[in-house]
Amino acid sequence: MRTGSGDERESALHSGWTVEATPTIEDPAVAATPVGATAEAAAESADEAGAGEREAQPQQMSNLTVVLLGLSGGLFMLYAWVWMSWAQYYADVNAAAAAGSGSIGGVLQQIVFWIAPLAPVFWFISALVLARAHTRKLVFALVVGLIVTFPLPMVFLSGAAL
């Protein structure tokens, strides 16, 4: 009971409750601490056990990173569309050039010619997979990819393929 002077009341167990001699501990890092260990040693072992769990969990991306991924992904898709339209526009010219380079040369030229539109998509996916955990590396990879996979026919041909 509390009195008006601010004294704390004595705690008592409700009927039917018992006190165990050694309480059960849910945290395995604290449970593994020897009985004679200090509280600081128990806290250190809990921090070490928690560090492995933190590394195993994937980090959440910031809002700015998600917006950057959306914008760069849209640009990479635009690049892929421009490269594809350029490939379709010049299909006849490329077929004529491939005919003069032999059977193996013609096949290789056609493969390279038609796989070029997939380069921006592959760059975006590989940058996302390889640098997802490191935001700075991801931004660097995306900026380099936007420069490297830029569709030059869009600039030099004034969009003739579009």
Side-chain angles (χ1 to χ4, degrees):
M1 284 179 120
R2 246 178 214 250
T3 61
S5 63
D7 295 332
E8 294 185 31
R9 67 180 174 96
E10 294 180 25
S11 63
L13 292 175
H14 292 284
S15 63
W17 290 84
T18 59
V19 177
E20 295 179 9
T22 56
T24 58
I25 299 173
E26 299 287 331
D27 189 9
V30 176
T33 306
V35 176
T38 62
E40 289 125 10
E44 288 176 10
S45 66
D47 287 342
E48 290 171 1
E53 292 174 6
R54 283 189 296 258
E55 292 172 5
Q57 296 175 350
Q59 293 179 344
Q60 185 175 359
M61 289 186 184
S62 68
N63 292 338
L64 183 61
T65 306
V66 173
V67 169
L68 174 73
L69 284 174
L71 289 174
S72 61
L75 282 173
F76 278 116
M77 290 304 290
L78 176 69
Y79 286 5
W81 180 71
V82 170
W83 278 113
M84 183 60 80
S85 65
W86 178 75
Q88 288 174 348
Y89 184 75
Y90 284 104
D92 295 332
V93 174
N94 188 45
S101 49
S103 61
I104 294 176
V107 169
L108 291 176
Q109 188 171 359
Q110 289 293 326
I111 288 172
V112 170
F113 191 73
W114 286 105
I115 208 164
L118 297 176
V121 176
F122 287 152
W123 190 290
F124 179 76
I125 291 171
S126 63
L128 185 61
V129 168
L130 296 174
R132 180 182 175 122
H134 308 286
T135 305
R136 288 183 182 165
K137 289 181 181 178
L138 178 63
V139 170
F140 179 74
L142 291 175
V143 169
V144 168
L146 287 172
I147 294 169
V148 169
T149 63
F150 185 79
L152 294 175
M154 185 172 67
V155 175
F156 293 119
L157 297 176
S158 302
L162 301 175

